[in-house]
C-alpha cells in the first residue's frame, strides 16, 4: 500500500502516512485497517526532511 509521506533520514527512507513531533524527534505512523500504527521514530539530528510520496 502506498503511503502519503516519505521521511528522508541519514540512514535511508521510511514511508508513512503521518508524523507527530516529540521532544527530540518525530514519531512516524501509518494507518492499517483504520488504526494508527507506529512505523518508526527519527531523532531531529538524523531527519533530513519529510515530503510527499510521489
Amino acid at each position: 500500500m502506498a503511503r502519503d509521506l516519505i521521511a528522508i533520514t541519514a540512514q535511508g527512507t521510511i514511508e508513512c502516512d503521518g508524523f507527530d513531533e516529540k521532544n527530540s524527534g518525530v514519531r512516524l505512523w501509518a494507518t492499517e485497517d483504520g488504526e494508527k500504527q507506529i512505523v518508526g521514530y527519527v531523532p531531529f539530528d538524523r531527519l533530513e526532511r519529510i515530503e510527499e510520496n510521489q
Side-chain angles (χ1 to χ4, degrees):
M1 180 175 174
R3 302 289 177 205
D4 295 335
L5 302 172
I6 189 164
I8 298 156
T9 72
Q11 285 79 30
T13 60
I14 303 170
E15 291 187 8
C16 60
D17 289 323
F19 63 95
D20 299 313
E21 290 187 30
K22 295 297 176 186
N23 294 335
S24 59
V26 292
R27 182 171 50 193
L28 307 169
W29 53 268
T31 303
E32 293 290 336
D33 298 325
E35 293 188 31
K36 195 189 278 190
Q37 302 290 324
I38 303 303
V39 294
Y41 179 85
V42 182
F44 287 128
D45 64 345
R46 296 291 191 176
L47 182 67
E48 293 180 19
R49 67 185 179 276
I50 296 176
E51 60 186 37
E52 288 186 36
N53 194 1
Q54 304 280 323

